[in-house]
Amino acid sequence: MKNRICPIFLLIVFWLHWGATASVADGPVVVGFNENPPLIFTDTDGQVKGIAFDLLNDIADEEGWQIRYLPGSYSECIRRLEEGTVDLFPGMAVAKEHENRFILGQEAIVADWGQLYTASDAVLSDILDFQDKAVAVVGSDIYFQAFATILEKFEIRSRFVQVDSYGEVLSLVHHKEVAAGIVSHLYGAYYEKRFRVRRSPVSFRHTELRFAVSKNQNRKILSTLDSHLKKLKENPNSIFYSSLDRWTQGVRKVTLPLWLRPLWVLSAIAVIMGLIILGNIFLRRQVKLQTEALKVTIAEKEKIESELAVAREIQLQLVPGDFPAFSNRKEFDIYASLEPAREVGGDFYDCFFIDGNHLCLVIGDVSGKGMPAALFMAMAKTMIKSGARLLAEPEYILADVNREIARNNPSLTFVTVFLGVLNLNSGELTYSCAGHNPPLFIGRKGNSVLLSDAQCPAIGFDDTFQYRQAAVKMQHGESLLLYTDGVTEAQDSQDHLFSQEALMNTVSLTAGLTPKERVIAIISRIREFTGERPLDDDLTLLSLTYFSPHHMGYTGKRIILRNDIHEMGRIVEAISRVAESASCPRVAVHDVTLAIEEVFSNIVFYGFGDDLDHNITLELLVENNTLILILQDGGIPFNPLNVQVGREKPLEERDKGGMGIMLAKNLMDRMDYRRDQGKNILRLEKRFR
């Protein structure tokens, strides 16, 4: 029985061993590699060599694998590994982006890092010297990406020249076509003597190079390689150490001739070599310390930038940002904008209802800049809004807020505020100004005056001060512009101020514009004035246009016209009255007048086909910020929307009135035609807000 079991047992062991081997590598193991000496490369005879090659051949002999090498560029190897064209890639750097796409071995083949090389006579020795310099890099190289990140953190702009291999990088540096180049430390140590280049003290991104496979296959190959590598590293006489010595240290060994072997010569050489080694160790230590300090600095800067970005987002969320605000209210139109000069600032604005008929407008500016000003701004804005809920008069609101802030203000921070309460039924604006820029009261034709009454000290100085207020009556279509001193004190490259006069001149050109269009036009003019100079102070504007409810009921008119071109005078007068009642901008009125003139003249001259008198009905309406004109005539059936203007035809062959109809189409937002009960009915629409 014993003799029968033993052969079966041996057969099972043999089958398990053969099956395990086959499962690891059933066919040739395809190794994809790029030229990366001394790790792995092809020599002048086309033979594969290098550290990884020696290790793979040794492990393949023990495992019974067949190895087939497939060269290519780095990007080709990565693509082939993902597609499964190759089974294994030697020398992939440990990086997060690689670990997300591939499986890397646990054992490192070698350690490596990025090394910066310059021309032999270059004076570049500090990272700050690379501002606006050309640097040669391999496009997909992790050391290039790490170096680019370092430059970005220090806000240094370099011009990167991307090539396909490290050899091209050193060649460009050698021929001084670039100021510097980035290669791996291993490659540079192996090839630097072939070029007139100098290794700079700048090194970075220490990493390990390992074997890698795709996530979907060949995990057993990787596990087998890790197991062999671990054993080889434990044996100081293994192929691992002999290959490292051959390809990194051995190539630089010096064989002394017999006449140079006296003891004193060898001793002197040993001393010199010792000094060189100690110097190299010291330099590496310094580079490591500087790199660690650089990492700490970058991390601290990133943390500060992240905190400031969050603070800026919070600050902008504290002020209204969704416009049009209160879209259900037709008595006013409002728009505001805030641009902090730094990541965060001290300007703020607000608009809210005290009750159903009173709208509160606030704009303020805290002394100082940055995070302290932003925190003080948030506190002041909250207190003003809370006070306005209880006290309807601006003078009492500001006095109450001033008492609370001034009583506990060890930093002596202050805030200037303009606060106004608008009665939407009567148009009366009651306001108080606590040390702030007086706002502009803008007439319907663009003329503006300063609301300079009720000037009081800023909030935060004296808790006993009694504030006062003033009032002004706003008429239908009149506007307000609230702003901070960052607007009038914006500076150009010659330190000239934008000034109050320039602001009022700009406002005079915004007659008929909506609050949003007015604010955008002012900011555009300021940007044009300052040019490339960054803002020195926060830029904040708030604009409001008032629409009296007593004027909003007049929304239409109907007139009967004769087919006489002189009736255009009545048409223009009717359009002007309806447009004025709806506060329609002049530019929109101009477009409507020009379009109706073209359409009406077409009807008069071509619409009836006789010389008799006929009536034409014109109806004008205002609906949803849109001016609507409806023309009706009993003339010849004619759809102007079908008119085609062929520019290639002579004038005498074109449709009569065609150019005018095309102009009207371009001027209006919408035109509709229908024939009903023997009449031509044409509807024209122009949206003005």
Side-chain angles (χ1 to χ4, degrees):
M1 183 69 177
K2 181 178 180 180
N3 293 334
R4 293 178 61 189
I5 293 176
C6 289
I8 296 174
F9 176 78
L10 292 174
L11 181 62
I12 292 173
V13 170
F14 174 80
W15 178 82
L16 288 174
H17 174 73
W18 180 86
T21 304
S23 65
V24 173
D26 292 330
V29 177
V30 181
V31 178
F33 72 96
N34 63 309
E35 294 295 323
N36 188 14
L39 183 67
I40 187 167
F41 61 101
T42 52
D43 62 10
T44 55
D45 297 328
Q47 299 296 317
V48 183
K49 294 184 177 180
I51 300 169
F53 173 81
D54 293 341
L55 295 175
L56 282 171
N57 279 4
D58 183 80
I59 295 171
D61 287 342
E62 288 196 30
E63 290 294 326
W65 296 348
Q66 293 181 4
I67 303 291
R68 184 166 67 88
Y69 293 93
L70 181 61
S73 66
Y74 181 84
S75 59
E76 287 176 337
C77 292
I78 295 299
R79 176 176 55 80
R80 290 168 178 169
L81 189 62
E82 285 184 318
E83 295 173 351
T85 306
V86 299
D87 302 312
L88 184 68
F89 178 79
M92 183 171 288
V94 177
K96 185 175 181 180
E97 60 268 29
H98 291 159
E99 293 173 348
N100 291 336
R101 299 167 60 189
F102 308 102
I103 299 178
L104 277 68
Q106 298 298 315
E107 294 293 328
I109 305 173
V110 290
D112 203 2
W113 57 84
Q115 183 68 53
L116 193 70
Y117 279 85
T118 63
S120 57
D121 57 350
V123 295
L124 302 172
S125 60
D126 189 276
I127 194 170
L128 298 178
D129 295 334
F130 289 89
Q131 179 72 24
D132 297 326
K133 296 293 191 303
V135 180
V137 297
V138 174
S140 55
D141 190 21
I142 63 167
Y143 303 126
F144 158 45
Q145 297 166 5
F147 187 74
T149 301
I150 294 173
L151 295 186
E152 182 181 357
K153 297 301 181 184
F154 282 89
E155 299 181 352
I156 299 172
R157 295 185 300 273
S158 294
R159 179 170 59 86
F160 293 109
V161 179
Q162 298 190 23
V163 295
D164 294 327
S165 66
Y166 287 152
E168 293 178 70
V169 170
L170 293 182
S171 177
L172 289 175
V173 177
H174 170 87
H175 292 98
K176 299 183 180 180
E177 296 180 18
V178 294
I182 298 172
V183 300
S184 73
H185 164 74
L186 282 174
Y187 186 95
Y190 192 79
Y191 274 118
E192 64 184 7
K193 292 185 178 181
R194 300 189 183 185
F195 301 91
R196 289 196 299 274
V197 294
R198 182 171 62 88
R199 186 190 308 175
S200 78
V202 179
S203 62
F204 48 91
R205 188 63 167 84
H206 183 278
T207 188
E208 293 180 349
L209 302 183
R210 303 180 183 178
F211 290 107
V213 298
S214 70
K215 288 210 170 198
N216 300 320
Q217 56 187 357
N218 300 319
R219 296 181 182 229
K220 290 188 177 181
I221 292 178
L222 195 62
S223 175
T224 303
L225 290 172
D226 281 340
S227 176
H228 280 280
L229 271 178
K230 186 175 181 180
K231 292 179 181 178
L232 291 173
K233 290 178 180 179
E234 293 172 354
N235 181 8
N237 298 318
S238 68
I239 185 67
F240 178 84
Y241 294 103
S242 62
S243 181
L244 283 179
D245 181 72
R246 175 187 177 191
W247 294 110
T248 58
Q249 299 175 6
V251 295
R252 291 185 290 277
K253 286 183 177 179
V254 178
T255 303
L256 297 175
L258 294 175
W259 57 274
L260 283 178
R261 293 186 181 179
L263 184 60
W264 63 272
V265 176
L266 295 176
S267 299
I269 293 175
V271 171
I272 294 173
M273 293 297 294
L275 292 175
I276 292 174
I277 293 172
L278 289 175
N280 190 40
I281 293 173
F282 175 76
L283 288 177
R284 289 187 179 280
R285 177 63 178 169
Q286 291 299 109
V287 170
K288 184 177 180 180
L289 291 175
Q290 291 179 14
T291 303
E292 293 300 324
L294 184 61
K295 290 179 180 178
V296 172
T297 301
I298 292 173
E300 291 176 349
K301 184 178 179 181
E302 288 178 341
K303 181 179 179 181
I304 293 172
E305 289 177 349
S306 176
E307 291 176 349
L308 288 176
V310 173
R312 179 188 178 98
E313 190 67 25
I314 294 174
Q315 179 192 5
L316 294 179
Q317 290 176 356
L318 288 175
V319 298
D322 294 329
F323 294 99
F326 316 110
S327 57
N328 60 324
R329 302 302 295 258
K330 305 301 181 183
E331 301 96 326
F332 65 94
D333 187 12
I334 192 169
Y335 185 80
S337 174
L338 188 158
E339 294 186 17
R342 301 183 182 179
E343 286 81 359
V344 290
D347 281 12
F348 65 93
Y349 65 84
D350 204 352
C351 53
F352 54 89
F353 276 96
I354 295 176
D355 56 41
N357 192 49
H358 291 84
L359 179 69
C360 186
L361 306 173
V362 182
I363 192 168
D365 185 3
V366 175
S367 61
K369 299 288 182 293
M371 189 67 73
L375 294 173
F376 198 92
M377 175 274 289
M379 177 187 68
K381 177 181 176 297
T382 302
M383 294 178 67
I384 290 171
K385 193 166 188 176
S386 298
R389 300 297 189 189
L390 302 174
L391 306 167
E393 300 295 327
E395 59 183 357
Y396 298 140
I397 297 171
L398 294 184
D400 183 66
V401 174
N402 178 61
R403 279 193 299 272
E404 294 298 323
I405 291 180
R407 286 175 182 173
N408 185 22
N409 188 18
S411 64
L412 298 180
T413 304
F414 63 91
V415 54
T416 67
V417 177
F418 173 88
L419 189 149
V421 177
L422 177 62
N423 186 320
L424 298 177
N425 187 46
S426 65
E428 183 178 38
L429 176 72
T430 307
Y431 65 92
S432 183
C433 195
H436 198 78
N437 303 75
L440 291 180
F441 186 89
I442 307 170
R444 296 174 60 178
K445 296 183 178 180
N447 54 307
S448 60
V449 294
L450 292 170
L451 296 181
S452 55
D453 295 334
Q455 289 291 324
C456 306
I459 291 174
F461 288 124
D462 183 1
D463 63 347
T464 64
F465 188 83
Q466 297 299 316
Y467 287 81
R468 62 182 185 275
Q469 65 188 29
V472 64
K473 181 83 169 183
M474 295 189 70
Q475 301 298 327
H476 181 75
E478 293 181 331
S479 304
L480 286 174
L481 180 68
L482 282 56
Y483 56 93
T484 59
D485 56 8
V487 173
T488 54
E489 296 177 6
Q491 298 182 24
D492 63 7
S493 58
Q494 304 299 320
D495 295 334
H496 298 143
L497 298 179
F498 184 67
S499 79
Q500 183 77 55
E501 181 182 2
L503 176 61
M504 297 178 75
N505 289 337
T506 303
V507 167
S508 68
L509 302 176
T510 64
L513 297 184
T514 65
K516 180 177 181 179
E517 292 169 339
R518 175 176 287 121
V519 170
I520 292 175
I522 294 171
I523 293 176
S524 176
R525 178 66 186 91
I526 293 172
R527 292 296 188 186
E528 180 183 347
F529 174 80
T530 58
E532 298 296 326
R533 177 167 178 162
L535 294 175
D536 298 308
D537 200 357
D538 302 341
L539 195 67
T540 308
L541 298 109
L542 184 150
S543 179
L544 174 139
T545 299
Y546 172 68
F547 304 115
S548 172
H550 304 295
H551 288 74
M552 294 171 65
Y554 184 77
T555 59
K557 186 175 181 62
R558 182 186 180 93
I559 57 175
I560 305 299
L561 306 165
R562 292 178 293 107
N563 56 329
D564 186 343
I565 195 63
H566 295 95
E567 292 281 73
M568 272 304 304
R570 294 177 61 200
I571 295 175
V572 172
E573 180 183 359
I575 292 174
S576 299
R577 290 186 59 191
V578 174
E580 183 179 4
S581 69
S583 297
C584 181
R586 285 184 296 177
V587 62
V589 175
H590 174 269
D591 290 349
V592 171
T593 303
L594 188 56
I596 196 65
E597 181 179 357
E598 295 294 340
V599 174
F600 183 73
S601 61
N602 247 354
I603 297 173
V604 170
F605 293 126
Y606 310 116
F608 297 97
D610 56 37
D611 295 328
L612 301 177
D613 291 336
H614 299 274
N615 289 334
I616 303 170
T617 303
L618 173 63
E619 186 176 0
L620 296 99
L621 301 170
V622 177
E623 295 179 358
N624 299 323
N625 299 323
T626 302
L627 189 57
I628 302 171
L629 294 84
I630 303 175
L631 278 167
Q632 298 186 42
D633 68 80
I636 302 168
F638 174 70
N639 184 356
L641 303 183
N642 292 334
V643 172
Q644 299 293 329
V645 179
R647 292 186 173 86
E648 70 281 357
K649 295 181 180 180
L651 287 174
E652 61 273 10
E653 295 181 13
R654 298 181 185 178
D655 291 342
K656 292 181 178 181
M659 295 298 292
I661 294 297
M662 293 303 297
L663 175 61
K665 286 182 181 179
N666 291 331
L667 291 172
M668 303 303 289
D669 293 321
R670 182 174 179 178
M671 289 178 62
D672 294 315
Y673 169 83
R674 61 189 173 92
R675 181 78 176 179
D676 190 13
Q677 297 181 0
K679 290 186 177 182
N680 296 307
I681 302 175
L682 182 65
R683 180 186 177 101
L684 301 90
E685 296 184 5
K686 181 68 175 182
R687 186 169 182 83
F688 56 85
R689 185 178 298 112

